[in-house]
Amino acid sequence: MVDPVVVRAAPSPTGDPHVGTAYVCLFNYALRTKRGGRFILRIDDTDRTRYNADSERKIIEELAWLGLTFDEGPETAGADGPYRQSERTAIYREAVQTLIDSGAAYRCDCTKERLDEVRAAQRARKEQPRYDGHCRERSVAPDAPHVVRLKVPRDGETSFLDGLRGTITIANSTVDDQVLLKTDQHPTYHLATVVDDHAMGVTHILRAEEWINSMPKHVLLYKAFGWDIPQHFHLPLLRNPDRSKISKRKNPTSITWYRENGFLPEALLNFLALMGFSLGDDQEEFTLDEFVAAFEPDAIKTSAPVFDLTKLEWLNGVYIRKTPAPVLAAKLVAISPMAAAADRTLLEAIVPLIAERMKRLTEFEDLCDFFFVDKIEPRYDDLIPKKRTETNTAAVLRAARDVVANSETLTPETLEASLRALGEEVSWKPRELFMSVRFAISGKKVTPPIIESMCLLGKAECIERLDDAIDVLGDPENPILAAPSS
RNA sequence: GGCCCCUUCGUCUAGCGGUCUAGGACGUAGCCCUCUCAAGGCUAAGACACGGGUUCGAUUCCCGUAGGGGUCACCA
């Protein structure tokens, strides 16, 4: 029996819920579910200028849509709250005081202007832009506006363990005296994350790779506080097709976008898992449970995967096909006004015809609109097969109309048999007959299987549409007898 | 640019020293099936970045080089 873990996700409520957040959450969720323990949602809202009031709610909603659930968070009471960092300022202030008292941090009242000048000068000298330590040995009064900075050793190096990469060592000379507490008295990420992870008993930190270079600051903080360092695993960043860090300019990044564009949560989750983990055995399709069972944190990939929307679409199609019709119908209703307005029984009957034709649920409307309109207006040219004439086509469609009219009830088997028999009779290839009928019934070239579609549409509606098509071809009052084309 | 991370088909990957004339998936092309489109089946093209080591033997281990990425904020 392995020890339970405490993991967390710490999204920042500054915008739309990000797929990167879902990606990181998935791996945290997997570890917590595999090992037992707790998964905490902590809202990192320490940047009050970028704060977006809707964002937190959206993040929680979209993660819930994906099926990634938390044991503790702003909306799930637990023993480690509050779960918004903006509500924990007293904790950080106290922590900062400890650091100042021990000499690990210091107050700084340098103005933005001075900082800019210093950095500009450093850049001009081709040096690393960084804080020059101006306030390191000064004593800045606590009652005047100031920030608190971490006093990073000038030399030496800091090593830490990454669960995926082993020991990483970074020279302290490349680490800046990071601001820990901002002028507005809110902490920066670095302080808040270390303080909270410790306070909440976090044992494993699975987060994005972009934090690796910040690790020395965090290690220094853990040491200054005298705290144990949780195990860290830095996940590779999801990438745009050009291999840069995934961004909304180059790739959809909002989870909301994926939901609204007809992606299934199971498919997105499966795909994200594939981006960072391999089940081996060439197994690419798996459930969340199967992923969790196979998951081992130290087997997470280190190389950065390109987020390939095309492959996601394929996988989404796989999931659509394996979703039971009633469930798929419900999902369509949730996303498509046309599906929502449709008769539910009819919708559920249509679903099996289109399930294998959709990569996204949003394709439903294009595929099925002809079921829900009153009148089809087939184009003259579409109705007449190549090498057939107007009069001949009108006659054949009239015969098809009669086939329908003479049927007791429309069933796929009998309708197909009679239409094929008709085709034979008039020497039309099945392909020609069905295409002409398809245009008459749907007005379009690509549809679900037309026989089944006609059965769902109903006898009366089919007769009406065939009559309309015959009208398009010529004078209905002047019937033309069926005649062989050659 | 400094530092850090990464490096197998276009993309996602399997491979953990001999099983590799390198396997699978997406995509692409062709064929089959077929009432359209799909789905499905079959086939094809397509990769170990490069150079040194280590070793009887490197895709696999080590070191360089190159390439890609990240990071250098009172943003996370």
Side-chain angles (χ1 to χ4, degrees):
Chain A
M1 187 62 201
V2 283
D3 293 331
V5 300
V6 178
V7 295
R8 50 56 167 189
S12 190
T14 53
D16 288 336
H18 199 279
V19 281
T21 302
Y23 178 64
V24 173
C25 279
L26 172 61
F27 289 92
N28 277 283
Y29 174 91
L31 181 61
R32 165 333 279 280
T33 308
K34 174 99 189 251
R35 298 269 296 265
R38 294 176 291 138
F39 184 16
I40 301 169
L41 174 63
R42 189 174 68 213
I43 301 299
D44 192 337
D45 57 352
T46 56
D47 184 342
R48 305 315 289 173
T49 59
R50 291 204 304 156
Y51 178 75
N52 176 317
D54 287 338
S55 188
E56 175 186 314
R57 179 184 50 77
K58 287 197 216 157
I59 289 169
I60 292 173
E61 281 176 7
E62 300 299 11
L63 290 174
W65 172 72
L66 281 169
L68 297 174
T69 53
F70 298 92
D71 303 299
E72 299 178 29
E75 297 181 354
T76 318
D80 296 306
Y83 297 96
R84 290 185 193 91
Q85 292 186 320
S86 61
E87 296 167 6
R88 301 172 66 82
T89 48
I91 299 170
Y92 310 122
R93 252 181 303 233
E94 194 187 317
V96 151
Q97 191 56 52
T98 306
L99 295 173
I100 292 173
D101 291 346
S102 69
Y106 60 95
R107 296 189 186 90
C108 166
D109 61 358
C110 291
T111 60
K112 182 175 184 305
E113 291 67 35
R114 196 188 95 77
L115 259 20
D116 288 345
E117 278 172 32
V118 169
R119 289 188 187 119
Q122 287 167 330
R123 258 187 280 268
R125 274 178 270 131
K126 301 206 161 158
E127 289 173 17
Q128 278 297 98
R130 50 170 294 173
Y131 184 62
D132 64 353
H134 180 252
C135 294
R136 267 199 165 209
E137 308 304 335
R138 292 175 63 220
S139 79
V140 173
D143 47 346
H146 65 274
V147 300
V148 175
R149 288 180 183 275
L150 179 66
K151 197 180 218 169
V152 176
R154 279 286 143 90
D155 35 44
E157 51 192 33
T158 300
S159 291
F160 53 91
L161 204 57
D162 176 273
L164 307 180
R165 288 163 261 259
T167 301
I168 296 173
T169 301
I170 295 177
N172 293 147
S173 60
T174 66
V175 183
D176 207 353
D177 276 8
Q178 180 63 234
V179 169
L180 300 175
L181 200 67
K182 300 181 266 193
T183 309
D184 67 2
Q185 296 296 288
H186 283 281
T188 56
Y189 171 87
H190 308 281
L191 204 230
T193 197
V194 167
V195 167
D196 287 341
D197 284 337
H198 179 261
M200 296 176 174
V202 170
T203 60
H204 297 250
I205 296 176
L206 279 63
R207 72 199 337 174
E209 188 178 27
E210 54 192 336
W211 294 111
I212 286 183
N213 288 314
S214 298
M215 269 301 283
K217 296 167 186 172
H218 304 168
V219 170
L220 259 13
L221 283 170
Y222 280 110
K223 284 184 176 162
F225 285 121
W227 296 337
D228 288 339
I229 302 175
Q231 289 189 49
H232 285 74
F233 298 81
H234 290 95
L235 276 40
L237 260 16
L238 261 20
R239 302 294 183 85
N240 294 314
D242 68 1
R243 297 209 171 270
S244 55
K245 168 162 100 170
I246 196 166
S247 62
K248 65 176 160 190
R249 285 283 67 171
K250 299 176 179 176
N251 202 88
T253 56
S254 163
I255 304 172
T256 306
W257 184 90
Y258 289 93
R259 179 172 53 73
E260 291 179 343
N261 282 277
F263 289 88
L264 264 31
E266 302 86 347
L268 182 53
L269 235 31
N270 189 154
F271 182 72
L272 288 174
L274 238 26
M275 295 282 88
F277 197 82
S278 170
L279 265 61
D281 296 340
D282 301 322
Q283 190 185 355
E284 296 204 294
E285 299 161 28
F286 44 78
T287 63
L288 222 204
D289 287 346
E290 287 172 320
F291 172 59
V292 167
F295 182 69
E296 287 300 338
D298 53 9
I300 296 171
K301 292 295 141 28
T302 51
S303 51
V306 170
F307 191 100
D308 182 358
L309 198 55
T310 304
K311 184 154 183 174
L312 203 211
E313 286 189 322
W314 160 76
L315 193 57
N316 202 52
V318 170
Y319 275 85
I320 285 175
R321 271 170 256 141
K322 67 166 92 162
T323 303
V327 178
L328 199 52
K331 287 176 184 285
L332 287 168
V333 165
I335 206 178
S336 154
M338 185 184 285
D343 173 79
R344 189 57 169 259
T345 308
L346 173 62
L347 181 62
E348 289 189 17
I350 291 173
V351 159
L353 302 184
I354 57 165
E356 67 196 28
R357 293 174 167 74
M358 292 189 292
K359 289 203 287 259
R360 303 185 190 184
L361 299 179
T362 44
E363 290 169 70
F364 168 79
E365 301 202 350
D366 259 1
L367 229 35
C368 297
D369 52 1
F370 72 92
F371 280 110
F372 307 107
V373 297
D374 286 336
K375 198 163 176 63
I376 299 298
E377 285 168 0
R379 289 178 47 233
Y380 176 92
D381 287 344
D382 287 337
L383 289 169
I384 305 172
K386 260 192 207 96
K387 296 185 192 162
R388 301 292 176 187
T389 63
E390 171 190 297
T391 50
N392 182 218
T393 302
V396 170
L397 284 181
R398 198 168 292 117
R401 184 220 109 102
D402 290 342
V403 163
V404 174
N406 294 334
S407 300
E408 273 296 307
T409 53
L410 256 35
T411 68
E413 297 73 24
T414 55
L415 181 57
E416 177 163 8
S418 357
L419 283 178
R420 280 183 186 280
L422 167 65
E424 211 144 316
E425 207 176 299
V426 299
S427 298
W428 273 37
K429 293 178 189 142
R431 174 194 195 83
E432 294 175 300
L433 211 214
F434 288 122
M435 271 320 280
S436 192
V437 169
R438 183 188 319 284
F439 276 114
I441 297 295
S442 72
K444 53 199 348 181
K445 184 175 191 297
V446 175
T447 70
I450 200 61
I451 302 288
E452 284 83 348
S453 297
M454 289 171 74
C455 294
L456 294 179
L457 234 22
K459 187 170 161 179
E461 185 65 30
C462 289
I463 292 172
E464 203 173 301
R465 292 184 184 193
L466 286 165
D467 280 337
D468 288 345
I470 293 159
D471 282 354
V472 168
L473 290 176
D475 181 9
E477 301 305 320
N478 180 24
I480 301 154
L481 293 174
S485 62
S486 62

